[in-house]
Amino acid sequence: MNIKPYLKEQLLCKNKKYLFCYDKGFLILRKCSDKKIVQKLRIHNPIKSIFLVERLLRYDLRTAVALSEQSFLYSDHGYIYRYSVTDNNIEIEHKFTQGMNNPLSFSSRYDGNKLVDLLYGEYMWNKTKEPVSIYRRTDGNWNKVFSFPTDTISHIHNIFFDKFKNRYIILTGDDDSESGIWEADINFEYVRPIIKGLQKYRACIAYPTKDAIYYATDTPLEQNYLYKLTESNEEKYLKKIYKMPGPCIFGKVSNDILYMATSVEGNPRLGSWRYRLSNKLGDGVKDKYTHIIAYTNKNIIEIGKIKKDIFPMWLFQFGNVKFPISDDGKIYICPQSCVCDYNTYVIEDGKSG
């Protein structure tokens, strides 16, 4: 597998017709066929679009999804917006709970290429451990479908659909007592822990298969692993698959391959302000590179690595790689806070999809 340059701007997501992108305060729509710009729309003023201001205040865009050929959703600084290709315009569709900027990712479930369910879990600053909720989009409205009670978790990292058991897998964090892997039925009439209570159950990425759940841990505090979690009646079995070179926040599953990117982040044990300003790595972070790793057919492949830039990790964001949602059988990656010439790359020469 090789990593090839693709776009100077960040690819947010794509459908069969358009590349939906972001760069320096602009939404940019390109044709898939030749990557030519169709239209642009400024969504942030020039001050918010300055490189370090954008990163410091989190005005760069994190996650998006195509609703159709003519409509996209994206998350931006406290709101979900809907973009219309026809009108080249945006409108607010949903406002997040106070203290929430963006979810780590939308949870999208597909039947073939048809989007049939869209969810997000609240990912927010929640020191007092207030209730944390899951929202589902129905007919253009976002409705709360479940809430973790007060003093249960700080936030939800991600939600994945398990097609083999027709359930959702919910990943939560961050302290030991909050870190867990949960299951929920389709309608969220029940939500219960599969396994919880330690940093080794703290994750953002999960890959449900017929016989197990594979997940990569997300802790700066200790060694991270790719694990295999097997459920047998009431018993749970955990097996270490691979020793990861860092925490894993972003990833993607496609064509029975689990793609993961490790995060370059600091040491929370330094204390609040030292942690925010320091470039000292956390105990679970082995170097200043984000590593792009694939797990397939019981084999691990390190596809490549990209170096973190010089700016403090918490203050100006962790070194990372995001995986935009796409429908063309390719894996696109977007480096965050890294030293690189392009904002979007594509993984080629593999069974990526």
Side-chain angles (χ1 to χ4, degrees):
M1 296 184 186
N2 297 310
I3 299 174
K4 302 288 188 181
Y6 188 73
L7 283 174
K8 285 288 188 180
E9 65 255 23
Q10 177 189 348
L11 176 65
L12 296 173
C13 66
K14 71 174 294 297
N15 57 25
K16 292 185 181 299
K17 192 171 184 179
Y18 296 115
L19 304 169
F20 186 52
C21 309
Y22 173 80
D23 188 51
K24 299 180 178 68
F26 285 92
L27 291 177
I28 301 170
L29 196 69
R30 294 179 178 269
K31 288 183 181 179
C32 289
S33 55
D34 55 14
K35 295 193 281 190
K36 287 185 178 178
I37 293 177
V38 177
Q39 52 202 25
K40 295 175 71 172
L41 178 67
R42 178 174 281 283
I43 59 171
H44 295 157
N45 67 45
I47 299 298
K48 292 178 182 177
S49 306
I50 295 171
F51 171 63
L52 287 182
V53 173
E54 184 177 73
R55 279 178 49 182
L56 177 65
L57 300 179
R58 277 49 175 177
Y59 276 108
D60 52 330
L61 303 190
R62 177 181 290 160
T63 185
V65 63
L67 296 177
S68 68
E69 271 196 1
Q70 301 298 317
S71 184
F72 296 85
L73 286 185
Y74 69 95
S75 170
D76 182 14
H77 220 71
Y79 297 89
I80 294 175
Y81 294 86
R82 185 168 63 251
Y83 172 78
S84 167
V85 173
T86 306
D87 301 328
N88 191 30
N89 194 25
I90 61 172
E91 61 180 58
I92 294 174
E93 184 171 280
H94 176 67
K95 182 179 181 180
F96 296 131
T97 300
Q98 185 175 359
M100 178 171 167
N101 196 16
N102 293 291
L104 274 182
S105 177
F106 289 126
S107 173
S108 49
R109 176 164 65 94
Y110 293 86
D111 183 359
N113 284 328
K114 182 182 178 183
L115 182 65
V116 296
D117 203 7
L118 191 61
L119 307 158
Y120 78 83
E122 289 186 318
Y123 182 75
M124 56 191 178
W125 193 257
N126 189 16
K127 283 291 187 181
T128 56
K129 296 186 185 178
E130 298 300 314
V132 178
S133 301
I134 295 169
Y135 286 79
R136 166 179 273 147
R137 187 179 190 268
T138 306
D139 298 327
N141 297 307
W142 290 89
N143 302 300
K144 188 184 298 184
V145 293
F146 177 78
S147 290
F148 286 93
T150 302
D151 292 329
T152 305
I153 62 172
S154 287
H155 46 235
I156 295 167
H157 288 157
N158 221 327
I159 305 169
F160 293 88
F161 180 63
D162 180 354
K163 66 181 180 180
F164 300 98
K165 295 189 176 181
N166 199 39
R167 62 180 178 174
Y168 280 105
I169 302 297
I170 307 165
L171 310 177
T172 64
D174 276 337
D175 295 339
D176 282 3
S177 63
E178 304 163 349
S179 297
I181 300 172
W182 308 66
E183 65 172 353
D185 67 297
I186 291 294
N187 296 315
F188 291 87
E189 293 175 356
Y190 72 79
V191 175
R192 57 195 176 215
I194 299 173
I195 197 164
K196 65 186 289 288
L198 293 169
Q199 289 292 290
K200 67 182 178 180
Y201 311 134
R202 174 179 168 176
C204 297
I205 298 300
Y207 173 28
T209 67
K210 186 176 181 180
D211 64 341
I213 299 171
Y214 293 86
Y215 72 92
T217 52
D218 159 46
T219 175
L221 303 174
E222 58 188 51
Q223 176 64 53
N224 288 273
Y225 291 92
L226 174 65
Y227 283 101
K228 178 182 180 181
L229 171 62
T230 305
E231 303 164 75
S232 177
N233 297 321
E234 298 300 316
E235 298 296 321
K236 311 293 186 295
Y237 302 95
L238 204 60
K239 180 181 178 181
K240 292 176 181 175
I241 300 296
Y242 180 68
K243 192 174 183 178
M244 299 286 285
C248 183
I249 295 178
F250 296 110
K252 183 174 182 176
V253 175
S254 192
N255 263 9
D256 297 323
I257 301 174
L258 172 59
Y259 296 89
M260 302 164 282
T262 62
S263 175
V264 183
E265 52 188 280
N267 188 346
R269 294 191 174 106
L270 293 175
S272 180
W273 284 105
R274 285 187 64 202
Y275 169 55
R276 295 179 187 188
L277 297 171
S278 173
N279 269 323
K280 181 178 174 59
L281 297 176
D283 293 340
V285 187
K286 300 309 175 187
D287 57 34
K288 291 192 174 181
Y289 288 85
T290 176
H291 298 255
I292 299 102
I293 295 165
Y295 176 68
T296 176
N297 297 324
K298 300 182 179 179
N299 294 314
I300 288 286
I301 303 168
E302 180 159 331
I303 303 168
K305 61 183 182 179
I306 305 173
K307 191 173 184 179
K308 168 75 174 72
D309 62 24
I310 63 172
F311 301 103
M313 291 169 281
W314 186 95
L315 203 60
F316 290 102
Q317 303 191 39
F318 300 154
N320 229 318
V321 163
K322 295 175 281 189
F323 294 79
I325 297 173
S326 61
D327 65 351
D328 62 356
K330 296 181 180 179
I331 298 296
Y332 300 91
I333 61 172
C334 296
Q336 171 186 288
S337 306
C338 291
V339 179
C340 49
D341 295 325
Y342 283 73
N343 287 328
T344 303
Y345 295 80
V346 63
I347 298 174
E348 294 185 342
D349 300 330
K351 297 179 181 180
S352 55

